[in-house]
Amino acid sequence: MFNYVSPERQEKITQFVFTEDKKLALYSGLIIRWALSNMIGISADELLFHSEPNQKPVLFPKSNIDFSISHTRNAILCCLSSNAFVGADIEKNITAPLEIMKYCFHPEEIEYVKNSSLNSANFRFYEIWTRKEAYTKAIGTGLSENLSSINTLNSYYTSNFHTWSEDDYICSIFSSQPFKHFSVTTLSESFISSFFFSNHISP
């Protein structure tokens, strides 16, 4: 499956130490190819990508389609849009490191998390965290942005975020345009493998 992704992604995959992380990085590349192929009607092996240093990859030649992908602990989240810049983030809902909030959460966000039950605080932490990640991915800065200056609870962003829980994961998507249509498709590892093998995609 390694040869089905670009040389740039292959290089990124080899930089990971753990097999699980290598696999997630590989399947992230495969999923985005499947999704874009279905969206624009081009064979997955004909898709080309380009990225500037510290910027997320984009289709080449330039297209109006924007996409973002995130992976964590056996799960991958991918989003695409034909009319907006988008960013995605997914995190497993494990015990939240609440102590880091003072470094990267806006004061209003900190209060939002603290003024809740223990179970709710965990969800609210990852709700805020995934929104921050999704937002900074969409605008292209990543976590180099001053995170504490971003208030994801601000009413200005209300229609630009979509956050939901899926099994033990919390997912967030940010769109530069308010959401008008939104749908979720769940894929299995076997589905992606079958797509590339059975459709005779050229590695």
Side-chain angles (χ1 to χ4, degrees), residues 27 31 185-194:
Y27 273 82
I31 287 173
T185 300
T186 302
L187 306 174
S188 66
E189 177 182 337
S190 59
F191 174 87
I192 292 299
S193 298
S194 176

Side-chain angles (χ1 to χ4, degrees), residues 20 24-25 27-28 31 69-78 90-92 166-171:
E20 177 184 332
L24 285 168
Y27 273 82
S28 293
I31 287 173
I69 199 156
S70 174
H71 58 78
T72 184
R73 298 174 184 263
N74 298 316
I76 298 169
L77 176 65
C78 168
I90 182 171
E91 300 289 344
K92 192 170 179 65
E166 189 84 21
D167 296 328
D168 294 328
Y169 299 90
I170 297 173
C171 312

Side-chain angles (χ1 to χ4, degrees), residues 24-184:
L24 285 168
L26 169 61
Y27 273 82
S28 293
L30 296 174
I31 287 173
I32 198 63
R33 284 181 177 272
W34 170 85
L36 287 167
S37 176
N38 275 275
M39 189 173 189
I40 62 181
I42 295 178
S43 178
D45 58 333
E46 296 178 4
L47 293 169
L48 297 175
F49 302 91
H50 170 73
S51 62
E52 297 292 339
N54 301 319
Q55 297 291 319
K56 66 179 182 179
V58 295
L59 276 173
F60 180 83
K62 190 175 181 180
S63 166
N64 66 326
I65 297 175
D66 194 43
F67 60 88
S68 180
I69 199 156
S70 174
H71 58 78
T72 184
R73 298 174 184 263
N74 298 316
I76 298 169
L77 176 65
C78 168
C79 68
L80 299 90
S81 174
S82 60
N83 66 353
F85 294 112
V86 291
D89 190 54
I90 182 171
E91 300 289 344
K92 192 170 179 65
N93 190 6
I94 57 176
T95 302
L98 301 179
E99 66 277 5
I100 73 170
M101 291 194 297
K102 60 185 177 182
Y103 302 112
C104 51
F105 279 24
H106 185 276
E108 185 178 342
E109 295 173 331
I110 293 175
E111 287 304 307
Y112 174 71
V113 175
K114 285 185 173 180
N115 293 335
S116 61
S117 66
L118 183 60
N119 287 338
S120 295
N122 214 64
F123 176 87
R124 287 185 175 189
F125 174 90
Y126 285 111
E127 176 187 11
I128 299 299
W129 182 261
T130 55
R131 286 185 169 198
K132 285 183 181 289
E133 285 248 31
Y135 173 76
T136 57
K137 286 181 180 179
I139 65 175
T141 62
L143 295 181
S144 61
E145 184 79 6
N146 180 4
L147 297 181
S148 61
S149 69
I150 303 168
N151 182 7
T152 61
L153 298 175
N154 191 313
S155 59
Y156 177 81
Y157 297 118
T158 300
S159 58
N160 298 91
F161 280 114
H162 187 78
T163 302
W164 74 102
S165 58
E166 189 84 21
D167 296 328
D168 294 328
Y169 299 90
I170 297 173
C171 312
S172 284
I173 291 175
F174 176 86
S175 170
S176 61
Q177 296 293 324
F179 283 97
K180 293 183 178 179
H181 173 71
F182 179 85
S183 62
V184 176

Side-chain angles (χ1 to χ4, degrees), residues 15-30:
Q15 292 174 355
F16 287 102
V17 175
F18 300 106
T19 301
E20 177 184 332
D21 295 325
K22 291 178 184 288
K23 186 175 182 180
L24 285 168
L26 169 61
Y27 273 82
S28 293
L30 296 174

